[in-house]
Amino acid sequence: MANPYLKHLDRIEFVVTYACTGGCRHCSEGDHTAAGAHIDGNAAAALVERVTRLYDIKSLMTFGGEPLLYPDAVCKIHAAARDVGIPKRQIITNGFFTRDAYKIAEVARMLCDAGVNDVLVSADAFHQETIPLDIVLRFAAELLRAGIERVRVHPAWLVSADDDNEYNVKTREIIARFNDIGVGESDGNVIFPEGNALKYLGEYFKDGAPENPYDDDPSDIRTLCVEPDGSVLGGSIYECDITELIERYSPNGQR
Ligand code: SF4
């Protein structure tokens, strides 16, 4: 019998790696290393194929860390999602995985060929403290040139998108640079107090803090979120078939 705790499952996410090229003060995950473990693209693609036999998956997302440190794994995942008919195939990237102009254009084409149809480029006052904006703008332009359906800058706002603190003012300037090359913006997200954000930006959360929007109710899993080490639903896709992990899952541990 289908597992009742996953009856609303309609989305798959992969944290491709926790390695990152950024060192953001607002990062909810804390500090990152420049290189590290990453998801096995073949195992991840097999998961996509198996889960869509059981559930009507409407969207898939890859993110990190910086997922494009491992573009082959990312592309295997998205190609599998396209082949099984998942309609929304997104990636969130900070847009900085190399300084090599040829490689930047190549990865943009790879993403388009793999069927990615929505790229969210994280850029704002915080990311650009450690990530060069000119490289990210170049990558965004290459994504458009490659023919990706939707490319948007995805800012992190402090307090709210309407607040006029110094970071948000700078973020608006950065968004305008993307708009100048034909890239629009998403609503972005409001920074919540976890990891580095709690450590370095605590003063902005004194009058109430936004909740982490990514928390899933463990008794009503809507998103399968797979970690770089293959762990999901209390097991690992490297040790066990995902269909078995789904069958066994319970909010109190495996059934
Ligand atoms: S916020 Fe994103 S780009 Fe910045 S350090 Fe964290 S994972 Fe990297």
Side-chain angles (χ1 to χ4, degrees):
M1 198 181 78
N3 189 327
Y5 301 118
L6 287 97
K7 63 174 183 253
H8 294 124
L9 180 68
D10 66 357
R11 178 173 168 86
I12 304 174
E13 294 179 349
F14 291 96
V15 185
V16 173
T17 180
Y18 282 110
C20 192
T21 49
C24 302
R25 263 202 285 175
H26 73 302
C27 185
S28 61
E29 290 156 14
D31 297 325
H32 294 265
T33 51
H38 68 93
I39 193 95
D40 178 300
N42 293 325
L47 175 149
V48 170
E49 208 268 321
R50 281 176 202 148
V51 172
T52 47
R53 277 194 229 153
L54 302 172
Y55 294 90
D56 182 17
I57 301 295
K58 299 198 164 49
S59 64
L60 176 145
M61 176 180 272
T62 52
F63 59 99
E66 176 39 53
L68 292 177
L69 288 171
Y70 303 102
D72 291 332
V74 167
C75 288
K76 279 182 184 169
I77 293 169
H78 284 282
R82 175 200 55 208
D83 292 347
V84 295
I86 297 175
K88 196 170 184 180
R89 303 179 296 272
Q90 298 177 295
I91 179 169
I92 299 189
T93 168
N94 68 29
F96 179 45
F97 46 93
T98 179
R99 291 178 185 273
D100 177 342
Y102 176 80
K103 178 88 181 158
I104 290 171
E106 186 190 23
V107 170
R109 283 193 301 271
M110 282 170 68
L111 293 176
C112 189
D113 291 348
V116 171
N117 59 14
D118 190 5
V119 181
L120 293 161
V121 180
S122 298
D124 45 57
F126 298 100
H127 284 86
Q128 268 53 68
E129 283 182 340
T130 57
I131 293 171
L133 182 58
D134 56 333
I135 303 256
V136 184
L137 285 164
R138 177 187 282 264
F139 180 53
E142 291 294 354
L143 290 167
L144 292 178
R145 191 167 303 135
I148 301 252
E149 219 173 292
R150 211 166 183 210
V151 181
R152 292 173 289 165
V153 57
H154 186 62
W157 299 106
L158 189 58
V159 184
S160 75
D162 303 325
D163 196 80
D164 281 329
N165 62 69
E166 60 181 309
Y167 296 101
N168 288 357
V169 170
K170 175 84 188 151
T171 292
R172 288 183 199 114
E173 288 167 15
I174 290 169
I175 291 173
R177 299 282 304 277
F178 283 87
N179 295 161
D180 287 346
I181 61 162
V183 174
E185 68 267 25
S186 73
D187 292 341
N189 61 283
V190 178
I191 297 168
F192 51 90
E194 280 186 24
N196 280 356
L198 187 59
K199 205 151 105 189
Y200 301 119
L201 301 166
E203 64 192 283
Y204 289 93
F205 303 122
K206 282 188 189 125
D207 302 329
E211 284 179 13
N212 181 344
Y214 306 114
D215 282 345
D216 221 354
D217 174 358
S219 62
D220 184 16
I221 301 280
R222 288 158 189 266
T223 300
L224 270 191
C225 187
V226 188
E227 296 283 324
D229 66 359
S231 60
V232 62
L233 299 177
S236 166
I237 59 167
Y238 302 148
E239 290 159 13
C240 195
D241 193 282
I242 187 62
T243 48
E244 202 176 311
L245 293 175
I246 287 173
E247 250 169 57
R248 282 203 246 141
Y249 174 77
S250 147
N252 313 310
Q254 304 261 315
R255 299 199 289 181

